[in-house]
Amino acid sequence: MASKENQMTATLLTSILAAVFGSLQIGYHTGNVNAPARIIEEFFNHTWWSRHNQSMPDHSLTFLWSLSVSIKDFGALLGSLGVKCLADTFGRRNSILIVNALSVVGACLMFASKANESFEMLIVGRLVFGLFCGLVMSLNPLYIQEVSPTNLRGAFATLNQVSFATGILLGMVAGLETVLGTKELWAMMLSLSLIPALLQYLALPFCPESPRYLLINRGQESQAETALWRLRGPSDEVFTELEEMKQEAAHTQSALTVKEFFTKRSYRQPIIIVLIVNLGSQLSGFNAIINYSTKMFDKANFDEAKYLTLGVGAVNVTFTLVAFFLMERAGRRKLLLTGFLCLAVCNLSMTVIDSVLALVPELRSLQVLVVFFLISAYEVGPGPISWFIAAELFDQPARPIAMAFTSMLNWGGKFMLALLFPPLLKLCGAYVYLLFMTMALTAFSFTWRRLPETKGRTFDDIAAEFRGSEGIPLHNKTGFNTFP
């Protein structure tokens, strides 16, 4: 049996790091628009004045800015639809390289918008970049999980979220007025994602394609073996993995349609699990905090709210790193259960604190701590796991469709929350957090009853459990009755 050290080759690490440059770009464009919002709105108004010799109406300015921010998530929702076609046609690695061009085009359009005095270019650039987001946040976990050894699969998949969170923090810093969030430099700030895009083009072509794709999808056994040798080095595990892949291929059909995916009985349980885990993750309060933390801290009368928001970004990165180290020790199930339960407690606390904050202003410091704790609870479990759990629960033919489904749920949840949170906050006040608490508790309950532990198990082993779930209660390795 090969040791973990023997499996950690330079080629494997390069492949993982080259892939996560994509999520770094996404995080960067998630975090860089909040701080310079006022300056970019002034650019919109100046452009309108130069065209019509009058100021833009306030309602039009508000609508255009909201559209500029949210259209990335809408584009990501659309981009999710292309995951299966790209991943099965061009392969996992090549698809990441192809969609990276969308990031380059989007960043160039955003950069050129200021020189061309066109806010339309900025909006279209965000839309094109959104298409990239929807595709790469599915393709990355797909590629990472298929090139990683079983005992490191979850930890390496978590690096996608680490990179995303790091990008958010870098975007927050770059958007500050003291850095690049100024009238002169905001367009340059929007173009900096070109650096990781270029690094990805330089590194990823030298990384191997997914061995599973080569063997199971293409039937290219010799190429799959070569890719495994490059990823694992001289190890007996190469032959063990090849045998496991052949067994998985024997249990799966060669092609799968979207209709078959949603109607096949053995996929029913994992589809419901993916649905509940992802919606529970996206609608549990994290995205509201990330999007509106500055306004929340302003409301609590903090003088430097934007720097507290940087604290949110720093906590975000820190606990994705904690998740990386815990993923293969604690397992997916325990981290999800802990995360959802803590999110529910945090949302209840937010409701209580926000309700009495006007009467007891001293509680604002406690509110900051609760926000930080909510961020950490999300990133230790639901955040990273929701993006990759579908890749572990489905067999090879279904995996690209499952990841597209995951991407649609994640980006759809983000888009819906960005759209609905402000009016819900006005309508419900502090009680809006009780809705998030309900979602977190629902996800906790369903995870407890239905999700098997996938840590340390082969893809075929997990798929076999669901193949046997058609009316037969099974017990997973932890002793839980997975399908009561």
Side-chain angles (χ1 to χ4, degrees):
M1 218 36 182
S3 66
K4 291 183 181 182
E5 286 76 20
N6 287 338
Q7 294 174 337
M8 192 85 77
T9 63
T11 300
L12 175 60
L13 288 174
T14 302
S15 300
I16 304 296
L17 294 175
V20 300
F21 277 130
S23 50
L24 182 71
Q25 298 172 58
I26 297 171
Y28 180 77
H29 280 287
T30 300
N32 66 6
V33 294
N34 289 329
R38 180 181 54 81
I39 290 171
I40 300 177
E41 284 177 341
E42 287 177 7
F43 162 71
F44 282 19
N45 200 32
H46 174 75
T47 303
W48 187 271
W49 181 276
S50 65
R51 295 178 186 176
H52 306 285
N53 203 31
Q54 61 179 8
S55 296
M56 183 183 293
D58 286 342
H59 66 275
S60 298
L61 183 60
T62 301
F63 169 75
L64 279 176
W65 178 245
S66 299
L67 180 66
S68 301
V69 173
S70 62
I71 203 164
K72 176 175 72 69
D73 295 343
F74 180 70
L77 190 60
L78 295 179
S80 304
L81 301 175
V83 172
K84 172 179 166 51
C85 180
L86 279 169
D88 284 347
T89 304
F90 300 103
R92 285 43 166 156
R93 182 204 62 181
N94 291 340
S95 294
I96 294 173
L97 287 168
I98 290 168
V99 302
N100 200 37
L102 292 171
S103 173
V104 173
V105 171
C108 288
L109 285 170
M110 287 184 269
F111 174 70
S113 62
K114 183 175 185 289
N116 288 276
E117 295 189 346
S118 171
F119 54 76
E120 294 90 350
M121 288 183 71
L122 176 61
I123 294 171
V124 172
R126 294 271 296 176
L127 176 63
V128 172
F129 188 82
L131 295 173
F132 164 78
C133 294
L135 289 161
V136 86
M137 283 301 277
S138 289
L139 292 169
N140 273 5
L142 192 60
Y143 177 71
I144 291 170
Q145 292 224 316
E146 291 187 6
V147 300
S148 299
T150 300
N151 64 319
L152 296 172
R153 196 175 61 216
F156 280 154
T158 304
L159 284 178
N160 198 50
Q161 189 75 7
V162 172
S163 181
F164 177 69
T166 303
I168 291 177
L169 181 59
L170 290 174
M172 287 177 172
V173 173
L176 293 173
E177 273 190 83
T178 52
V179 187
L180 295 175
T182 64
K183 289 183 180 180
E184 295 77 20
L185 298 175
W186 65 264
M188 180 186 294
M189 181 264 295
L190 293 179
S191 71
L192 291 184
S193 62
L194 290 171
I195 297 173
L198 177 61
L199 291 174
Q200 190 167 59
Y201 274 131
L202 292 175
L204 199 56
F206 299 99
C207 302
E209 180 55 270
S210 158
R212 289 183 174 274
Y213 171 77
L214 293 171
L215 179 65
I216 301 175
N217 292 74
R218 291 298 181 196
Q220 299 172 347
E221 184 175 341
S222 61
Q223 289 91 329
E225 185 176 345
T226 300
L228 270 177
W229 279 110
R230 291 184 61 195
L231 289 164
R232 305 287 181 264
S235 167
D236 293 338
E237 284 296 300
V238 170
F239 302 107
T240 304
E241 280 195 57
L242 273 175
E243 189 59 34
E244 183 261 314
M245 283 189 271
K246 290 176 184 178
Q247 290 178 6
E248 183 179 349
H251 293 142
T252 57
Q253 60 196 82
S254 58
L256 185 77
T257 65
V258 174
K259 181 180 179 181
E260 288 170 337
F261 174 81
F262 285 105
T263 57
K264 192 172 181 180
R265 194 174 179 189
S266 61
Y267 293 157
R268 195 174 301 163
Q269 286 282 358
I271 285 174
I272 296 173
I273 290 171
V274 169
L275 177 69
I276 298 298
V277 168
N278 279 276
L279 288 183
S281 174
Q282 293 306 315
L283 303 180
S284 60
F286 171 81
N287 288 298
I289 298 296
I290 285 292
N291 291 335
Y292 298 100
S293 57
T294 301
K295 289 184 178 180
M296 184 185 301
F297 294 142
D298 277 333
K299 182 183 174 184
N301 296 318
F302 282 103
D303 294 331
E304 296 294 341
K306 59 187 177 183
Y307 293 109
L308 282 174
T309 301
L310 282 183
V312 169
V315 170
N316 198 27
V317 173
T318 301
F319 280 89
T320 54
L321 288 170
V322 171
F324 169 75
F325 290 107
L326 287 179
M327 196 61 62
E328 298 302 343
R329 297 180 182 180
R332 289 53 148 167
R333 179 186 169 87
K334 288 181 182 177
L335 291 179
L336 277 176
L337 289 171
T338 303
F340 282 132
L341 187 60
C342 290
L343 284 168
V345 172
C346 288
N347 279 299
L348 179 61
S349 302
M350 287 291 291
T351 302
V352 174
I353 293 170
D354 212 35
S355 299
V356 300
L357 194 60
L359 300 174
V360 191
E362 293 79 11
L363 288 177
R364 63 179 188 166
S365 297
L366 182 59
Q367 184 187 45
V368 173
L369 290 177
V370 172
V371 166
F372 286 174
F373 191 61
L374 186 148
I375 297 296
S376 63
Y378 175 85
E379 290 296 9
V380 161
I385 295 172
S386 63
W387 279 107
F388 73 75
I389 192 66
E392 294 191 323
L393 297 179
F394 291 88
D395 56 22
Q396 189 75 9
R399 206 166 286 135
I401 304 176
M403 293 307 296
F405 182 51
T406 293
S407 188
M408 291 180 69
L409 290 171
N410 271 289
W411 291 110
K414 290 178 190 291
F415 179 68
M416 185 168 66
L417 196 62
L419 205 62
L420 297 180
F421 181 70
L424 278 175
L425 189 61
K426 286 185 179 180
L427 181 67
C428 306
Y431 298 104
V432 70
Y433 299 107
L434 293 180
L435 298 176
F436 299 147
M437 181 190 75
T438 302
M439 286 302 304
L441 288 176
T442 300
F444 171 86
S445 175
F446 194 87
T447 299
W448 175 266
R449 295 179 62 244
R450 296 287 178 174
L451 180 67
E453 180 55 72
T454 58
K455 179 189 73 170
R457 300 173 66 184
T458 66
F459 287 120
D460 192 49
D461 181 27
I462 299 166
E465 180 161 349
F466 287 108
R467 285 196 297 271
S469 69
E470 300 175 6
I472 305 173
L474 292 180
H475 292 263
N476 64 16
K477 293 183 178 181
T478 60
F480 285 101
N481 190 349
T482 308
F483 303 110

